[in-house]
Amino acid sequence: MTNSRLTPALLCGAFFLLLFTHQTTRAEELVVKLPPASLAQWYKPQNKRQVWLHTMFSLRRSMQALEEYVERGEPQRLAKWADDFATAYERLGEMVPEWRDELELEWSGRMRQAAVQGDMEGVRHALGKVRTSCRSCHNEYRTVTSILYRGPDFGAITIANGANEGLSHKELMAAMSRAVNQVKIFHEDQQPQRASEAGKELQRLLTLAADSCAQCHQESESRARIFSAASDRYQSDLLDGIAAQDGKQVDGNLGKIGAFICARCHTIHRPLAEFRAMLTKRAQR
Ligand code: HEC
Ligand code: HEC
Ligand code: HEC
């Protein structure tokens, strides 16, 4: 019968379909390793300085000095720099014991010896060995660490909203987004009174946002990149446009606020802030 011959074919087809959908719906995964929690004590706010990062800068400098003098064939200063290097390098394992296994301590010791003996080939060889440890730890942890410990923390920002109410940064964002769309909706539906109230609320919230920059930025330049005479004008022109029920003026100025205030700040701050929040949440579990 045709039917019985068809069934295996159909089953077979269904099986391939399953395989196919299974493969296309499975998302690619990227595993991100978090640094050991003991690293936190070498960063602000637990520490007054970014100690880990400055130890890294010192490693790079002493390593470069060693390379420079080996290349120039001048062994006189090698011992001093190899000592600087080894001291800082050994300290890594004391600062974060969980990372001791990542280090080539034997090779940093051999490098110190070779440097004392003026053995330039020995120093060069040891440098190569030690450098593999820089690379492998960096591949796994460098980017994540800089985001986690040095990325700006917008969760710590509080916005004074009226007499006793404080908004989180996220709440401020949600309120601004609501006000932008209220302007759009009520203007489109020819309710100028409501659109105007929303426009004024947006202006008030944008002033709160502009004031909040100073919670991280000591200099006024960064704030001025986004909040300026021009951005004030988009806001007042928006209110004028609403009053005059001028669609072009409303859309044009909403567009400018969106592009030059919201999107410009988002390009700088949002992806990193959100990624940092994800990492922090995970690290605290
Ligand atoms: C500091 C500069 C900055 C400005 C200016 C800014 N944003 Fe944001 N926005 C952020 C950051 C950072 C985030 C990430 C979430 C957070 O606030 O912690 C964000 C997140 C958001 C979110 C998502 C909130 C959530 O719940 O995840 C919305 C919506 C938003 N912004 C809307 C706006 C609108 C609309 C404007 C302009 C009227 C604006 N933002 C202006 C920095 C800014
Ligand atoms: C056990 C892990 C580990 C080892 C080993 C290590 N590093 Fe690092 N390094 C880090 C981490 C984590 C960061 C990110 C620090 C940050 O951004 O705050 C970093 C960042 C750096 C930076 C800053 C990069 C930049 O431009 O922002 C330099 C320079 C550096 N390391 C040099 C070295 C050198 C040279 C070595 C080898 C001699 C080395 N590191 C070995 C973990 C390590
Ligand atoms: C939670 C802390 C934090 C807040 C709040 C914050 N920033 Fe930043 N911002 C930083 C850090 C950190 C950097 C990178 C280092 C630097 O430039 O200071 C940065 C960089 C910038 C830059 C690029 C560098 C420059 O100065 O040109 C701009 C522009 C900027 N921020 C604008 C703003 C504006 C506008 C606000 C307020 C609406 C704001 N930021 C709020 C932490 C913050």
Side-chain angles (χ1 to χ4, degrees):
M1 266 177 67
T2 35
N3 223 359
S4 61
R5 244 183 290 148
L6 254 178
T7 315
L10 272 178
L11 270 178
C12 214
F15 179 68
F16 277 119
L17 197 70
L18 256 178
L19 250 186
F20 184 71
T21 43
H22 178 69
Q23 283 196 344
T24 50
T25 54
R26 196 183 61 201
E28 291 292 336
E29 284 185 4
L30 173 69
V31 176
V32 174
K33 281 199 194 172
L34 294 171
S38 61
L39 184 59
Q41 63 191 300
W42 308 108
Y43 278 100
K44 291 176 187 172
Q46 289 195 30
N47 206 296
K48 271 187 287 191
R49 291 173 59 248
Q50 315 283 51
V51 179
W52 182 270
L53 181 64
H54 287 285
T55 309
M56 289 294 137
F57 289 145
S58 126
L59 283 175
R60 175 162 64 189
R61 193 161 47 249
S62 49
M63 211 153 159
Q64 184 180 330
L66 289 162
E67 283 160 0
E68 300 259 0
Y69 288 121
V70 165
E71 247 172 61
R72 288 171 163 75
E74 296 171 14
Q76 301 86 334
R77 293 192 174 82
L78 290 180
K80 170 194 169 236
W81 286 106
D83 192 52
D84 273 17
F85 177 85
T87 307
Y89 192 71
E90 281 155 19
R91 227 171 109 57
L92 298 182
E94 291 157 20
M95 287 198 274
V96 181
E98 295 90 332
W99 271 347
R100 268 188 83 86
D101 290 347
E102 302 268 343
L103 304 175
E104 295 287 350
L105 290 170
E106 202 192 314
W107 281 105
S108 74
R110 283 202 208 173
M111 182 158 73
R112 208 201 291 250
Q113 260 181 347
V116 169
Q117 291 159 359
D119 168 10
M120 299 207 282
E121 202 35 59
V123 171
R124 194 203 303 275
H125 186 63
L127 271 173
K129 294 290 184 187
V130 160
R131 192 178 289 111
T132 59
S133 72
C134 319
R135 226 176 279 136
S136 79
C137 188
H138 289 168
N139 285 344
E140 283 189 309
Y141 296 109
R142 193 173 57 81
T143 307
V144 162
T145 299
S146 69
I147 295 172
L148 198 52
Y149 290 116
R150 295 192 298 115
D153 178 8
F154 280 83
I157 300 298
T158 43
I159 313 286
N161 181 37
N164 42 27
E165 191 195 352
L167 290 181
S168 71
H169 195 265
K170 269 202 164 173
E171 287 166 338
L172 173 68
M173 292 296 127
M176 287 207 293
S177 170
R178 202 180 313 124
V180 165
N181 279 308
Q182 280 177 337
V183 171
K184 195 98 179 129
I185 291 165
F186 293 133
H187 174 72
E188 200 175 307
D189 292 348
Q190 293 174 341
Q191 302 188 48
Q193 183 55 36
R194 284 181 171 168
S196 165
E197 276 163 25
K200 284 181 191 141
E201 173 65 357
L202 178 61
Q203 195 174 33
R204 186 183 76 84
L205 295 168
L206 280 170
T207 308
L208 295 180
D211 290 345
S212 76
C213 312
Q215 290 184 46
C216 295
H217 290 284
Q218 267 116 41
E219 301 86 14
S220 57
E221 279 89 348
S222 307
R223 176 189 188 278
R225 292 281 309 272
I226 289 169
F227 292 100
S228 60
S231 73
D232 287 346
R233 203 174 55 244
Y234 309 144
Q235 294 168 55
S236 54
D237 285 356
L238 173 67
L239 293 176
D240 292 347
I242 294 169
Q245 291 190 265
D246 179 337
K248 227 171 133 186
Q249 193 171 337
V250 170
D251 286 343
N253 285 289
L254 270 183
K256 283 178 184 161
I257 290 170
F260 300 130
I261 304 179
C262 317
R264 189 171 282 170
C265 200
H266 286 171
T267 303
I268 299 166
H269 280 309
R270 192 169 167 180
L272 221 51
E274 292 182 342
F275 195 45
R276 185 191 185 282
M278 269 168 59
L279 292 174
T280 308
K281 207 161 138 195
R282 186 67 215 225
Q284 281 165 354
R285 276 220 316 223

